[in-house]
Amino acid sequence: MAEIRFDDRVAVVTGAGGGLGREYALLLASRGAKVVVNDLGGAMDGTGSGTTAAEQVVKEIKDAGGEAVPNFDSVADWESAQNIIKTAIDAYGKIDILVNNAGILRDKSFIKMEMEDYEKVMAVHLDGTFFCSKAAFPYMRENNYGRIISASSAAGVYGNFGQANYGAAKMGIVGLMHVLKQEGAKYNIMANVIVPIAGTRMTATVLPPNLVEMLKPEYVAPMVVWACSEQCTFSGYTFVAGAGYFSRTAFMEGPGVFINPAEGITLEKIHENIDKIVSLEGAQTFGSATEQTGFALSKLNLG
Ligand code: NAI
């Protein structure tokens, strides 16, 4: 099979100074992409900033013969997010690929979580993904080409103790992607999500050291970088990748049950039917809210 290449493609990877983002940037550059390596360079809880992390990755790319420029702005602010995208426009004249990867953690049980922990985590993950996508989208639309892949998490999709802020933000990103899929379809803009599993400074707080060592971020990168390629014509997908395991996760809706409104919909009828209501046997996904609502309405005899 022909090699998948990114010659003449321009990519922005946020939070690319370390962990997973660094691997995405290195792989994209090694396949010919011009890369904006964005990283605020702060601590894992979002405090502080610095230029070393992004500069170091740019150096690695250049040393290997690739093309890259650093950017040190925060994704969490509309002005600075626009500046991240502007860095690509100023350096390379366009943006084809956006990887929304920057992230922080401020884990605490829901009871103990301070509003600041909620606001900071929402700002980096959900606002950051929204802002960078919003800044990039007009350029992608103009060029009739775009690939946006954003980092969600199993903590959002399935829940994780102590991550109410993070889980909420990560599912918000899935909701955003579903809309961008629809609004980008006409312009060849594909929007997808990655649920990664990797040993990084972020997971070093929750995983045992030997597992952190085994779950190499480079095992995730090919899935994400594939989703950045021309070959990816999928949009609205949530890919799972880690430890050599690759899959898709999705919202599924069961076939459900029809209770005729004309005969009365009572609490007791809900109770009688609850096993059928919650069953996912024969479940399906829907491409849009319209499709899902249409399915529900099709049960009614509207004639
Ligand atoms: P990491 O902490 O190694 O990398 C995150 C990077 O984002 C850091 O280099 C940090 O400086 C940067 N960053 C933080 N705030 C920023 C801001 N406001 N603007 C620009 N850059 C900023 O963590 P890791 O593990 O590489 O995570 C990457 C993404 O993948 C995150 O969104 C994370 O939530 C997500 N993820 C990771 C998982 C894993 O197993 N490692 C699991 C599920 C999700």
Side-chain angles (χ1 to χ4, degrees):
M1 173 192 172
E3 197 185 26
I4 294 175
R5 298 282 312 171
F6 292 88
D7 304 302
D8 301 321
R9 292 284 177 214
V10 177
V12 170
V13 183
T14 70
L20 285 158
R22 173 177 164 273
E23 293 298 332
Y24 306 154
L26 293 177
L27 185 53
L28 278 161
S30 75
R31 294 297 180 107
K34 301 175 180 77
V35 183
V36 175
V37 176
N38 157 265
D39 207 291
L40 182 63
M44 208 180 61
D45 66 356
T47 54
S49 62
T51 58
T52 320
E55 275 168 353
Q56 180 57 35
V57 175
V58 167
K59 185 177 179 307
E60 277 183 77
I61 290 174
K62 287 189 170 164
D63 287 350
E67 273 195 64
V69 288
N71 171 281
F72 316 111
D73 284 297
S74 172
V75 297
D77 171 87
W78 173 227
E79 297 295 323
S80 58
Q82 289 176 89
N83 207 42
I84 298 172
I85 305 304
K86 192 171 172 289
T87 302
I89 306 303
D90 290 349
Y92 305 122
K94 62 172 182 163
I95 171 167
D96 300 301
I97 294 158
L98 171 63
V99 185
N100 288 306
N101 167 80
I104 61 167
L105 278 187
R106 284 181 171 228
D107 294 0
K108 276 187 195 130
S109 69
F110 192 46
I111 289 280
K112 291 190 184 141
M113 192 168 284
E114 305 283 342
M115 281 307 141
E116 200 197 350
D117 300 322
Y118 172 70
E119 284 158 8
K120 288 263 188 298
V121 165
M122 290 299 276
V124 175
H125 291 277
L126 187 54
D127 293 357
T129 300
F130 188 98
F131 293 157
C132 291
S133 304
K134 170 111 179 109
F137 211 79
Y139 295 105
M140 292 178 169
R141 192 178 68 163
E142 200 178 297
N143 287 338
N144 214 42
Y145 187 87
R147 296 290 181 269
I148 301 174
I149 181 146
S150 308
S152 183
S153 168
V157 177
Y158 299 110
N160 202 24
F161 193 97
Q163 296 195 312
N165 49 1
Y166 182 74
K170 287 308 203 187
M171 269 318 263
I173 288 169
V174 177
L176 173 64
M177 175 269 296
H178 281 137
V179 175
L180 297 188
K181 167 192 77 174
Q182 290 175 39
E183 298 197 11
K186 219 165 81 184
Y187 307 103
N188 192 17
I189 300 171
M190 310 290 160
N192 292 294
V193 159
I194 181 75
V195 170
I197 309 162
T200 63
R201 72 173 186 177
M202 203 178 259
T203 42
T205 57
V206 288
L207 295 175
N210 60 331
L211 215 51
V212 170
E213 188 51 40
M214 278 162 61
L215 295 171
K216 300 209 180 303
E218 66 240 44
Y219 301 160
V220 174
M223 182 78 247
V224 170
V225 172
W226 177 85
C228 295
S229 72
E230 284 166 32
Q231 283 76 3
C232 174
T233 51
F234 291 84
S235 198
Y237 281 64
T238 300
F239 299 109
V240 179
Y245 165 69
F246 300 94
S247 183
R248 174 195 180 195
T249 185
F251 265 98
M252 305 290 287
E253 194 158 314
V257 66
F258 179 67
I259 303 172
N260 193 344
E263 291 164 14
I265 300 176
T266 63
L267 293 178
E268 290 70 27
K269 283 188 190 166
I270 299 291
H271 186 64
E272 276 161 29
N273 284 286
I274 195 66
D275 289 343
K276 284 187 197 153
I277 292 170
V278 299
S279 171
L280 285 177
E281 213 177 311
Q284 61 178 320
T285 60
F286 293 103
S288 66
T290 315
E291 216 179 272
Q292 185 267 355
T293 309
F295 177 76
L297 289 180
S298 72
K299 306 281 178 186
L300 271 178
N301 184 355
L302 294 171

